[in-house]
Amino acid sequence: MRKGRSYLGRHHQGKRSSTVALVLSMLLMLTIVLLVLLALGIFSLPIGSDEDDGSSSSFYLHDRITFKRKQLIVYLNLIGLGCSGDGKDDGDGMGKRGDQWTEILSWEPRAFVYHNFLSKEECEYLINLAKPHMSKSTVVDSKTGQSKDSRVRTSSGTFLRRGRDKIIRNIEKRIADFTFIPVEHGEGLQVLHYEEGQKYEPHFDYFLDEFNTKNGGQRIATVLMYLSDVEEGGETVFPASQGNFSSKPEWNNLSECAKKGIYVKPKMGDALLFWSMRPDATLDPSSLHGGCPVIKGNKWSSTKWMHVEEYKI
């Protein structure tokens, strides 16, 4: 009888020890998570003053929680975890955006699509701002570094000065948050218009001359924002990319040009981020890309080129 009671006592004591160990393990994991969030700046402890009343403290805490939540969404999107927004106007732009999430397009080149990066109103604003100033697009001469006319690029376009107005500043800040590249490293927004039959042959965004790297150094990354839908054609294609392209369900609806590599179909509000340089700071030849001919409809887009160093304007 004593042996039975002794066994039961040891049995209950063992269960209590397991429960305590489990609770301690969970507390340890929670502590590690909080430390990581603090280190990343995603979470911080609000510090108030003795002079603050309850109302101001509550507003302060609400603002910090809202701000940190946005930072967390941007961080998770960047690493490709597909965190979605709530589709509401978050106060840093005009109009409402749909659910935002990031799609990993490719690792060679490193390319990502940020869905609903711009609102419909922001797209229309950039188009209307650029329309009166459009002119024939040019390309960079790799020998002289100067702009020249070319049949390789048949679109029309114009530049919008960096920080031109509040709406553009908000978009540029959003780009900086997405890429983790400071606003000051970016050129002005270039708005482009492609009519039926117009295209941009495959090319690199990085420079092969010394002239264009004097201001800001080499181009490190590009954000291409689609300002309109395109009925047919107009895809962005990476012909030097690697992967099984024909496995996608929309394969049969692509133009022949887009079937040459990894592609992105233009969709109003989406933004394509791709890197022209590898993490080891070498140029990435797999970033070769082109704009397929528009077969039906019109294509509007806006490009932001970003440099290794500050780009002076």
Side-chain angles (χ1 to χ4, degrees):
M1 192 69 179
R2 288 180 180 177
K3 289 183 179 180
R5 290 178 179 175
S6 177
Y7 170 78
L8 290 173
R10 287 196 302 270
H11 178 69
H12 288 302
Q13 185 177 4
K15 289 182 65 176
R16 285 197 298 271
S17 299
S18 300
T19 303
V20 171
L22 179 61
V23 171
L24 289 175
S25 299
M26 293 177 64
L27 288 174
L28 179 60
M29 291 177 62
L30 179 60
T31 302
I32 293 173
V33 170
L34 289 174
L35 288 174
V36 171
L37 293 177
L38 285 168
L40 292 173
I42 296 171
F43 175 79
S44 63
L45 297 176
I47 301 174
S49 65
D50 294 337
E51 297 178 359
D52 291 339
D53 58 18
S55 176
S56 61
S57 296
S58 63
F59 278 115
Y60 172 80
L61 180 59
H62 175 269
D63 290 343
R64 289 193 64 84
I65 291 173
T66 302
F67 175 70
K68 294 304 178 182
R69 176 181 175 274
K70 292 177 185 176
Q71 280 191 323
L72 178 59
I73 289 173
V74 170
Y75 174 74
L76 293 176
N77 277 332
L78 185 67
I79 62 176
L81 294 182
C83 181
S84 299
D86 55 11
K88 297 180 180 179
D89 182 3
D90 53 14
D92 67 349
M94 60 185 301
K96 294 183 179 180
R97 294 186 285 158
D99 288 343
Q100 297 117 49
W101 58 284
T102 302
E103 175 186 355
I104 300 175
L105 187 66
S106 166
W107 289 113
E108 191 177 356
R110 291 184 294 152
F112 311 86
V113 177
Y114 191 133
H115 295 274
N116 295 310
F117 186 78
L118 299 176
S119 68
K120 178 176 181 290
E121 290 79 5
E122 287 171 329
C123 293
E124 292 173 346
Y125 178 81
L126 292 178
I127 292 173
N128 292 330
L129 200 62
K131 266 184 178 180
H133 311 288
M134 304 295 283
S135 60
K136 175 72 172 63
S137 297
T138 58
V139 298
V140 175
D141 190 317
S142 60
K143 295 181 180 179
T144 66
Q146 302 293 328
S147 297
K148 66 175 184 179
D149 191 14
S150 173
R151 295 182 64 184
V152 168
R153 192 182 195 187
T154 56
S155 61
S156 59
T158 189
F159 277 93
L160 302 177
R161 182 181 176 87
R162 191 178 73 203
R164 171 176 175 145
D165 58 37
K166 185 176 185 296
I167 294 172
I168 289 179
R169 287 194 297 272
N170 287 333
I171 293 173
E172 291 173 332
K173 176 61 168 61
R174 199 179 304 158
I175 292 172
D177 290 340
F178 178 34
T179 62
F180 278 49
I181 299 175
V183 171
E184 295 76 18
H185 288 220
E187 299 180 31
L189 290 175
Q190 185 184 45
V191 178
L192 295 170
H193 179 217
Y194 295 82
E195 298 181 30
E196 291 184 6
Q198 293 185 332
K199 62 180 181 178
Y200 195 174
E201 294 286 353
H203 60 283
F204 299 109
D205 278 358
Y206 56 70
F207 296 116
L208 298 174
D209 64 275
E210 297 182 358
F211 177 83
N212 282 287
T213 56
K214 291 180 180 179
N215 185 4
Q218 188 59 265
R219 284 175 176 169
I220 186 173
T222 300
V223 172
L224 174 59
M225 295 164 283
Y226 300 102
L227 306 182
S228 69
D229 297 327
V230 181
E231 291 184 58
E232 187 177 353
E235 303 95 341
T236 302
V237 64
F238 293 86
S241 57
Q242 304 294 324
N244 181 14
F245 319 122
S246 60
S247 61
K248 292 193 175 182
E250 59 187 6
W251 176 258
N252 293 328
N253 296 325
L254 298 176
S255 66
E256 290 303 313
C257 165
K259 294 180 179 180
K260 297 177 181 178
I262 291 172
Y263 62 89
V264 180
K265 287 180 66 68
K267 179 180 177 298
M268 177 187 279
D270 284 358
L272 165 64
L273 163 65
F274 63 91
W275 298 82
S276 296
M277 299 178 71
R278 299 189 182 98
D280 63 0
T282 59
L283 300 178
D284 187 358
S286 69
S287 66
L288 180 75
H289 62 285
C292 293
V294 174
I295 298 173
K296 186 177 182 182
N298 281 268
K299 175 183 175 182
W300 285 88
S301 64
S302 180
T303 303
K304 167 69 76 171
W305 289 299
M306 287 158 292
H307 291 250
V308 173
E309 301 167 358
E310 179 181 354
Y311 186 85
K312 295 179 173 59
I313 57 174

